[in-house]
Amino acid sequence: MPSRHALLTRTGEGDVIKQHRLAAAIRRTMLAAVLASTAWSAQAQDAQAAKPDATTLDKIVVTAQSREQELQDVPIALQVVGADVIESTTATDIGDLDMFIPGLEVSDDQPTQARFELRGLSTGDFGIGTDPTVGVYVDGVYAGRGGGTVLPFLDVARIEVLKGPQGTLFGRNTAAGAISIVTQRPSQEREGRVRVRVGNDDRRSVDGTLNLPAGDAVALRFNVLHDETGGWLRDAATGEALDGGKTDALRAALGWDISADTRLLLTWDHEKMDRRARPTIGIVDLDPDTGLPEYPADPAHYRDPFDQPAYTDVAGNDETRDFDGVTLQLEHDFTWGRLTATTAWRNFDTLNRAEEDATNRAYLFIDTANVEDNTTWYQELRFNGSTDRLDWVAGASWFKERARQSSVVDLTSDSVDTASGYVLGLPLFTVLQSVADYYGVPVQLFGNPWQESYDNTLDAKAYALFGDVIWHATDKLNLTFGLRYTRDEKDFSWFNDFHTADELNQALQVLDAVGILGELGLSAEQLAMMDLAFSDPVSMANKGLLNRASNSWSDWSPRFVVDYHFSDETMAFASLAKGYKAGGYNAFSPGAHFDNEDVWNLEAGVKRSLAGGRLQFEASAYHYRYDNRQAIWLDTTTAVPRYVINVSDLSAWGAEFSARWQPTPELSLDANAAWIDATYDDYVTPDGIDLSGEPTGEPWFSASVGGSYLWDLAASGSMRLSVRHAYRGAGRCNDASGTQGTCGHYPAFRIGGASNRTDVQLQWRSPQDRWSVAAYANNLFDNRYVTGLQQYGTTVFGTVGATISEPRQYGLEAQYRF
């Protein structure tokens, strides 16, 4: 790990130039902000005189530092997404919002294996052997790994996206940042609502909320959701939807004020998702005579997926999830502060069976399935209090996870025969079937299932002690010091046996018994040990063996912050924080483990309120170094693709800006932007490509703008128009991007190009806000993009699939409040 001095002063002429350029840019930005604020102050006085009814921005209270604070007083770079934005964009989960949060990217085309990336940092592994880099928390409870993170929104009050390491405040796996989802709590007000939404592609959604007081001290709150869609992509052969499905969800909460000093909150969340798995579209031509694709595949001949038909021949091509979670929070106020005890249990069972060859040809058939059963327990005791000079938080936490995962590859004897023709130079089963037919042996070698599987188990525990103290050194100066000690313990296992193909193996035994295999120098036993998907040397050497490993990691993660309030309207801050993620295992290589990952992040920024409280903005600049980043890499340079572990060190310089403006009572505007230069410091891919000094793939710039305008219709109610637009720049491809299908230029299309999205909603509300009716459009201008390549079958069959973004979605909704 680099020293702190190395973090602050990177050596090398290129880095020095970057530092000077960034410093100059920051000075220019700060100077411009000061000049602009002076101009705004003058304009504000004139505007206030001209429009005495101008309003100020609503104050946003957040809990980003485990304390309730106004957003403008928190010395952390964060973006808050309120319930109004969730409603106006008709967002159903966090994956619908990432375009409007610059710096955040959520890959949720497979929600049971979602990937989060923040400021260019993410985990490149989909197995249970590693942990995520971005932590997702719901009401302060860690949501765990990907399968239980992208859940439907139910009664969400706000989402706080904290950028940069948050280990001291949030805990596990927040090396890149944290996403904190805060829900509504039961209240003493009797209220409810019902909303119905219909849209194109046969989308139908019904959700509702009911809040019931049960006496002066108890309240109940219920939320239900049913959402389904017929899908926007059809199988060209069968006409069936390739992406339809439904989700049912329920949330129940009990709030109880046990006494004047003691409060209890008990919640239960349930979700059942049943949808078609991620569709993929074939982009290579099949020869009209042989029915086979070009081999090896030539990227110059890839077709535009938007012009190609979509097919699947996967039986049970579904992605499903059953989720349950229970949380108990108990708060008690003492004279010296407050104790909060949080106990949580979460469980999900998922299945994701996805098309990989993008055809409906049995002789090219290959699919993958991820099956996971995951249970977590979480316990935290947190103490917080304050004096005239100190605000403090301290506590301890315990986390336990039990996960069982099977990574399955399904083929047919037909597709294995095709692969053997490419890999071995001989279509093995074609030859054997011909010989059997010639001698009249009644066997059928084709049309038989073939399955390979890697089975993993994880039993993990994590313990932590943490503390965070804000010292109000003066009326203007605050100094913060935080420290967290974490210990992670993991027990992991691998089991990978030879393929399962009972019908085929029985037929081969018949051929062996009559001497046909012996004449060819083969045996049924040899062929029963011939694997295709997991045939790397390490896997072959451990076939049928149960391998186990136990490791532990520990870390001290500090946080230092200084913030200075020049006035009630202006604050500047600087921070240095360390992020940590425990080590883990390569789920496809028995015995392979890796060390923990560390990141140091240096940041400085300013927050300011102007124009009499009608304009607020924050700007920040940062630099981080991330060491020992571990990822799973699909090695497509071998005859049979294989997953291998790879290690990289990377760093980034970046700047972010956000603003909110209420120029009139009717009009509100907001803007967010992020710039980043992320490069590898030391990285050689498993293909032998040296990417040191090259970009990691992150775009230079991303931004979003939004606004709403309210028309007062007097006795007829009101009308509000909401518009939001997001832009994400083109990915900065490197020399290895094409091998992973995440970034690249091809004659017919591009992956990782610049993207735009515009969402619009027009809503009418009745005078008493009982009724509302709205029309909406997401991706108004129908911008479509190729999002990735599926190349698992490329080196085996020559097949290549592409995934594409969804088209424009539009519809109507009606809501009744009571």
Side-chain angles (χ1 to χ4, degrees):
M1 187 184 74
S3 66
R4 194 171 303 165
H5 178 71
L7 170 69
L8 300 179
T9 58
R10 294 177 61 196
T11 59
E13 182 179 355
D15 294 330
V16 173
I17 292 174
K18 283 183 181 179
Q19 293 183 27
H20 287 311
R21 287 178 177 174
L22 182 64
I26 294 172
R27 288 194 296 271
R28 290 194 297 270
T29 301
M30 298 303 181
L31 178 60
V34 173
L35 293 175
S37 66
T38 302
W40 271 108
S41 297
Q43 294 175 14
Q45 295 176 1
D46 296 338
Q48 192 69 23
K51 293 188 176 184
D53 59 340
T55 60
T56 60
L57 288 166
D58 292 334
K59 292 182 179 180
I60 298 179
V61 177
V62 297
T63 54
Q65 296 195 112
S66 298
R67 315 158 172 87
E68 289 192 351
Q69 296 173 284
E70 287 188 24
L71 175 63
Q72 291 299 102
D73 293 331
V74 180
I76 295 176
L78 76 156
Q79 182 176 339
V80 178
V81 178
D84 57 332
V85 175
I86 296 173
E87 181 177 356
S88 66
T89 58
T90 64
T92 58
D93 56 49
I94 188 65
D96 293 333
L97 293 172
D98 63 333
M99 279 288 288
F100 302 113
I101 306 174
L104 174 67
E105 183 175 358
V106 181
S107 301
D108 67 333
D109 57 342
Q110 302 180 89
T112 62
Q113 294 178 272
R115 184 180 67 90
F116 291 79
E117 182 176 288
L118 192 56
R119 286 184 172 178
L121 297 177
S122 66
T123 296
D125 186 6
F126 50 80
I128 62 174
T130 62
D131 292 314
T133 305
V134 180
V136 178
Y137 290 78
V138 180
D139 292 329
V141 177
Y142 179 57
R145 61 185 68 257
T149 52
V150 180
L151 296 172
F153 286 148
L154 280 178
D155 216 17
V156 174
R158 67 180 184 277
I159 302 170
E160 302 174 12
V161 181
L162 293 77
K163 302 176 181 180
Q166 305 298 328
T168 303
L169 296 169
F170 279 85
R172 301 199 78 242
N173 305 323
T174 54
I179 299 172
S180 176
I181 300 174
V182 181
T183 64
Q184 301 282 3
R185 295 197 169 205
S187 69
Q188 286 298 310
E189 181 179 357
R190 186 182 298 272
E191 60 176 343
R193 67 167 183 83
V194 177
R195 177 171 57 192
V196 178
R197 184 178 292 159
V198 295
N200 61 326
D201 297 322
D202 201 23
R203 180 179 180 184
R204 303 176 299 279
S205 176
V206 180
D207 69 290
T209 299
L210 180 63
N211 191 94
L212 294 174
D216 296 334
V218 179
L220 299 169
R221 193 174 183 92
F222 302 95
N223 298 272
V224 294
L225 166 72
H226 173 77
D227 182 78
E228 62 179 291
T229 176
W232 50 267
L233 187 64
R234 301 280 167 177
D235 189 301
T238 66
E240 295 183 0
L242 293 177
D243 64 323
K246 64 180 181 179
T247 299
D248 293 295
L250 169 67
R251 177 179 175 84
L254 165 68
W256 179 20
D257 292 338
I258 300 174
S259 68
D261 298 321
T262 307
R263 294 162 299 281
L264 178 147
L265 177 65
L266 177 65
T267 61
W268 171 51
D269 293 275
H270 173 75
E271 183 236 24
K272 185 176 182 63
M273 181 187 73
D274 187 357
R275 52 171 275 177
R276 299 302 300 274
R278 176 214 67 212
T280 182
I281 301 172
I283 58 173
V284 293
D285 290 331
L286 302 183
D287 187 278
D289 295 324
T290 66
L292 295 173
E294 180 181 19
Y295 187 89
D298 186 350
H301 298 160
Y302 289 172
R303 297 290 190 177
D304 185 346
F306 290 103
D307 297 332
Q308 298 297 106
Y311 301 101
T312 186
D313 54 0
V314 177
N317 182 33
D318 297 322
E319 186 171 13
T320 64
R321 175 174 57 206
D322 288 297
F323 173 90
D324 283 283
V326 178
T327 302
L328 173 64
Q329 291 182 327
L330 188 65
E331 293 182 347
H332 183 77
D333 293 331
F334 297 92
T335 56
W336 47 264
R338 174 178 296 173
L339 166 65
T340 303
T342 302
T343 305
W345 169 87
R346 295 165 67 91
N347 172 263
F348 64 81
D349 295 292
T350 62
L351 166 67
N352 182 21
R353 187 181 303 280
E355 172 74 62
E356 296 293 349
D357 60 276
T359 76
N360 60 355
R361 308 294 179 94
Y363 55 85
L364 297 174
F365 178 86
I366 182 172
D367 76 40
T368 59
N370 179 75
V371 184
E372 184 176 351
D373 175 19
N374 188 289
T375 304
T376 61
W377 297 263
Y378 180 74
Q379 178 66 58
E380 180 186 83
L381 296 176
R382 185 176 71 246
F383 305 87
N384 67 283
S386 62
T387 66
D388 291 341
R389 288 296 185 185
L390 297 176
D391 286 325
W392 56 271
V393 175
S397 66
W398 171 83
F399 177 84
K400 180 180 179 180
E401 179 179 17
R402 181 182 185 273
R404 303 293 182 261
Q405 182 180 46
S406 293
S407 301
V408 181
V409 178
D410 287 304
L411 303 106
T412 64
S413 54
D414 308 59
S415 58
V416 174
D417 182 68
T418 303
S420 68
Y422 288 136
V423 177
L424 304 177
L426 178 72
L428 182 61
F429 299 141
T430 297
V431 172
L432 293 177
Q433 186 70 59
S434 299
V435 174
D437 292 343
Y438 180 81
Y439 287 106
V441 181
V443 296
Q444 180 53 257
L445 302 182
F446 292 100
N448 298 306
W450 174 299
Q451 186 177 90
E452 300 181 35
S453 175
Y454 243 110
D455 301 318
N456 302 115
T457 68
L458 169 70
D459 291 282
K461 294 180 181 179
Y463 312 87
L465 297 172
F466 60 91
D468 194 79
V469 179
I470 301 175
W471 175 37
H472 306 294
T474 69
D475 291 341
K476 297 179 178 294
L477 177 65
N478 299 313
L479 301 175
T480 302
F481 173 71
L483 184 64
R484 175 179 288 263
Y485 171 76
T486 305
R487 178 176 174 81
D488 286 276
E489 300 174 353
K490 295 184 179 182
D491 297 322
F492 198 80
S493 75
W494 299 259
F495 182 78
N496 171 229
D497 210 344
F498 293 105
H499 71 267
T500 301
D502 293 340
E503 295 90 342
L504 176 64
N505 289 338
Q506 289 173 8
L508 292 173
Q509 289 171 4
V510 173
L511 295 183
D512 202 7
V514 299
I516 291 178
L517 294 184
E519 287 294 326
L520 299 174
L522 299 172
S523 69
E525 184 179 1
Q526 287 177 324
L527 295 179
M529 295 188 293
M530 182 183 74
D531 278 4
L532 186 67
F534 304 117
S535 58
D536 60 279
V538 175
S539 295
M540 293 302 294
N542 289 276
K543 292 290 182 179
L545 301 177
L546 178 63
N547 291 273
R548 299 181 182 276
S550 297
N551 296 88
S552 62
W553 301 266
S554 59
D555 179 77
W556 293 93
S557 297
R559 180 175 88 116
F560 307 94
V561 184
V562 55
D563 62 90
Y564 188 83
H565 294 252
F566 294 93
S567 65
D568 291 340
E569 296 80 23
T570 305
M571 177 188 73
F573 66 90
S575 65
L576 176 65
K578 181 188 177 186
Y580 156 82
K581 191 182 80 170
Y585 304 91
N586 179 351
F588 302 105
S589 183
H593 73 278
F594 43 84
D595 294 332
N596 56 279
E597 304 175 15
D598 296 316
V599 58
W600 280 94
N601 185 83
L602 177 65
E603 190 149 354
V606 61
K607 297 189 178 188
R608 180 132 200 213
S609 178
L610 303 167
R614 291 188 289 115
L615 173 66
Q616 293 178 350
F617 76 87
E618 67 174 73
S620 61
Y622 63 87
H623 170 60
Y624 68 70
R625 288 201 55 162
Y626 201 108
D627 292 324
N628 202 38
R629 178 181 181 268
Q630 310 292 335
I632 290 294
W633 178 278
L634 181 61
D635 185 0
T636 57
T637 62
T638 57
V640 178
R642 61 194 180 102
Y643 288 97
V644 296
I645 194 81
N646 70 112
V647 183
S648 64
D649 296 336
L650 54 94
S651 61
W653 300 85
E656 293 166 338
F657 175 84
S658 65
R660 297 190 304 140
W661 183 27
Q662 187 85 43
T664 71
E666 302 82 15
L667 178 64
S668 61
L669 302 169
D670 62 82
N672 299 273
W675 174 88
I676 187 172
D677 177 16
T679 57
Y680 290 111
D681 293 334
D682 183 13
Y683 185 28
V684 178
T685 72
D687 304 13
I689 303 174
D690 189 352
L691 296 182
S692 302
E694 291 199 30
T696 63
E698 286 302 296
W700 287 107
F701 182 74
S702 57
S704 69
V705 293
S708 67
Y709 192 86
L710 179 68
W711 288 275
D712 188 349
L713 305 179
S716 298
S718 63
M719 187 82 72
R720 182 183 296 275
L721 174 66
S722 301
V723 181
R724 309 199 74 81
H725 179 78
Y727 167 82
R728 179 175 290 147
R732 300 168 61 203
C733 303
N734 55 52
D735 290 343
S737 297
T739 65
Q740 302 301 293
T742 56
C743 190
H745 296 260
Y746 303 93
F749 60 89
R750 178 178 181 179
I751 299 175
S755 58
N756 290 271
R757 171 178 162 178
T758 304
D759 287 7
V760 178
Q761 185 195 60
L762 181 63
Q763 184 186 64
W764 169 83
R765 292 193 175 192
S766 65
Q768 288 77 36
D769 202 21
R770 291 278 187 179
W771 286 95
S772 68
V773 179
Y776 69 89
N778 302 132
N779 188 20
L780 176 66
F781 300 107
D782 200 26
N783 294 309
R784 308 289 302 281
Y785 307 99
V786 181
T787 57
L789 295 184
Q790 308 305 318
Q791 302 179 101
Y792 193 79
T794 302
T795 59
V796 182
F797 308 120
T799 57
V800 184
T803 52
I804 58 177
S805 60
E806 67 179 20
R808 173 176 47 236
Q809 301 292 304
Y810 55 87
L812 298 172
E813 71 171 39
Q815 185 170 235
Y816 177 68
R817 297 177 183 272
F818 56 90

